[in-house]
Amino acid sequence: MKKIILFIALCLVNLRLYSQYKEFHPGEIWKDNKGIHINAHGGGVLYHHGTYYWYGENKSENSNNALVGVMCYSSQDLYNWKNEGVALEVSDSKESPIVRGCIIERPKVIFNERSRKFVMYFHLELLDKGYAAANVGIAIADSPTGKFTFLKNSRVNAGKYPLDMTKEQKESTSTVADFKDWWTPEWRKAVEDGLFVRRDFMGGQMSRDMTLFVDDDNKAYHIYSSEDNLTLQIAELTDDYLNYTGRYVRVAPGGHNEAPSVFKKEGTYFMITSGCTGWDPNAARLFTSDSIFGPWKQHSNPCNGDGADLTFNSQSTYILPVAGKKDAFIFMADRWKPKKPSDGRYVWLPIKFENGLPVLGWLDQWGLNVFN
């Protein structure tokens, strides 16, 4: 009888832990069902069959490198999250591109209706190579919680030029070696005209900070920071989401954007990004377009109020559509803590709209009823 009572008491404690939140508290410790701060940084969320799945980087107390892999958490209400374990494990084999100690960042997962497979993309840097590889990694699973199987890694669209690059730009003989000094007006103009696209043409375009977006017609797109983080690119995926069709475009060439997050509302595509200041926050940027392939128009910082100039001390990672609520979107961002990476915090804020454009304001706490 004592064992039964103890078991019931433990179940009640676990239930209390798992249902402890009734609203969001941006920037604060966010505990999972085990009472541990959620470890899913630079993440994204998949909604599948009534459940949300949050994927993100597992960070250790002392390192930003991938020592564990990609985590998965599940939730029905978006407030309370169950730790589903490691969705994609790093390898112990030094022959593997995802060997323990490599860099895995910003994992995103989408579901392919045709193959019934869950497909994960992530920014991958090879062990002990710094950020030189600038690869995309791809993994696949039969279940949203994994285990995901690593398939391959590469740069993007080798041997292909962007759809929006002119004949003159493609045939230019200007090379990186022509510019002794960077950041000059002449160098910037060369970058805008495809200097780094031509440099990386044969080996493929660089892919760092990234997200995935599935459109209304189930066409999927990989959006990533490329050209030494100077230009965003949007690349169309094949129907199985495992390869590229070769169709891609450049967004804000030379604009120095990273951390892209994309959503669609009433036929308009919105993209919120950040500037490039390492682990330090900066002002968010907003772009809109009537087509995923552009042209994209830049607008002013979508953040308002105190802390707006630093995106409330955070950096964008994903825009989450709330299931069952029309035009309800959550801005997901990270507060990086490079000296103690596992303590990084999450800033989730509701997106409001003014004059047809998204607006972000700080809230100490809030609930999904703000969308009603």
Side-chain angles (χ1 to χ4, degrees):
M1 179 62 69
K2 290 182 179 179
K3 290 183 178 179
I4 294 175
I5 293 173
L6 179 60
F7 175 76
I8 293 173
L10 288 173
C11 288
L12 290 174
V13 169
N14 286 332
L15 180 62
R16 181 177 59 82
L17 286 171
Y18 189 42
S19 59
Q20 60 186 321
Y21 297 109
K22 295 182 179 179
E23 54 192 7
F24 301 104
H25 300 268
E28 296 185 11
I29 287 287
W30 196 346
K31 296 180 179 180
D32 64 14
N33 63 308
K34 298 179 181 179
I36 301 171
H37 181 49
I38 293 170
N39 199 339
H41 311 273
V45 175
L46 169 72
Y47 182 72
H48 185 73
H49 290 175
T51 299
Y52 295 94
Y53 296 93
W54 180 359
Y55 305 90
E57 310 159 27
N58 179 294
K59 291 187 177 294
S60 72
E61 186 171 344
N62 301 309
S63 176
N64 278 296
N65 289 22
L67 303 180
V68 175
V70 176
M71 298 297 295
C72 177
Y73 295 79
S74 66
S75 175
Q76 275 73 50
D77 63 7
L78 289 176
Y79 305 125
N80 301 282
W81 293 87
K82 177 184 176 183
N83 186 337
E84 297 286 359
V86 185
L88 175 69
E89 296 178 341
V90 294
S91 173
D92 290 320
S93 170
K94 291 185 177 180
E95 303 302 316
S96 172
I98 59 168
V99 63
R100 194 180 312 278
C102 69
I103 296 174
I104 291 176
E105 295 181 338
R106 298 182 179 269
K108 305 294 185 289
V109 174
I110 53 180
F111 179 65
N112 189 282
E113 294 284 355
R114 294 188 180 188
S115 66
R116 313 303 295 175
K117 300 289 186 181
F118 297 87
V119 182
M120 177 188 294
Y121 276 56
F122 52 92
H123 167 210
L124 174 65
E125 297 292 348
L126 304 179
L127 181 65
D128 296 331
K129 300 294 183 181
Y131 278 79
N135 276 6
V136 58
I138 302 175
I140 194 169
D142 294 321
S143 164
T145 57
K147 302 289 186 178
F148 280 77
T149 300
F150 176 73
L151 294 182
K152 57 187 175 180
N153 64 291
S154 68
R155 287 196 172 184
V156 181
N157 280 320
K160 303 288 184 180
Y161 277 120
L163 299 177
D164 52 357
M165 199 163 167
T166 67
K167 184 175 183 291
E168 182 181 12
Q169 290 172 334
K170 294 174 186 176
E171 295 177 352
S172 171
T173 58
S174 174
T175 69
V176 176
D178 296 332
F179 298 90
K180 180 180 178 181
D181 297 318
W182 285 23
W183 310 109
T184 64
E186 295 78 16
W187 176 85
R188 286 185 177 276
K189 180 63 168 60
V191 169
E192 293 176 14
D193 287 339
L195 180 68
F196 291 133
V197 175
R198 294 190 300 274
R199 179 197 65 184
D200 297 333
F201 179 75
M202 294 305 297
Q205 301 300 307
M206 304 173 81
S207 174
R208 288 183 178 147
D209 280 10
M210 57 137 286
T211 191
L212 295 175
F213 175 74
V214 179
D215 211 339
D216 302 330
D217 59 1
N218 284 328
K219 277 286 186 183
Y221 301 87
H222 178 207
I223 301 103
Y224 50 96
S225 186
S226 192
E227 303 175 37
D228 281 320
N229 286 10
L230 287 158
T231 302
L232 294 167
Q233 294 183 358
I234 300 178
E236 184 181 66
L237 303 183
T238 54
D239 288 343
D240 61 6
Y241 300 170
L242 300 180
N243 292 289
Y244 297 94
T245 65
R247 303 180 70 230
Y248 73 105
V249 294
R250 307 167 74 214
V251 180
H256 225 192
N257 286 276
E258 63 180 12
S261 55
V262 177
F263 70 103
K264 185 179 182 181
K265 176 180 178 289
E266 297 176 353
T268 298
Y269 298 85
F270 299 89
M271 177 160 53
I272 297 176
T273 74
S274 82
C276 300
T277 51
W279 298 110
D280 296 325
N282 54 63
R285 290 113 177 252
L286 172 66
F287 297 85
T288 63
S289 176
D290 294 330
S291 166
I292 191 69
F293 279 151
W296 289 82
K297 176 183 178 181
Q298 185 167 355
H299 303 267
S300 59
N301 184 353
C303 301
N304 281 338
D306 293 342
D309 58 336
L310 295 178
T311 316
F312 314 112
N313 289 306
S314 70
Q315 185 184 40
S316 53
T317 183
Y318 194 73
I319 304 294
L320 169 60
V322 180
K325 291 183 178 290
K326 180 177 171 55
D327 297 334
F329 302 93
I330 297 175
F331 173 77
M332 293 173 52
D334 292 274
R335 278 185 181 170
W336 304 113
K337 294 198 174 183
K339 293 183 178 180
K340 190 178 180 182
S342 61
D343 190 40
R345 306 298 174 83
Y346 310 103
V347 172
W348 288 24
L349 294 170
I351 295 179
K352 299 181 180 180
F353 292 88
E354 294 180 5
N355 300 316
L357 293 177
V359 175
L360 295 166
W362 178 257
L363 294 170
D364 288 328
Q365 59 188 46
W366 64 281
L368 295 175
N369 59 354
V370 302
F371 296 118
N372 291 342

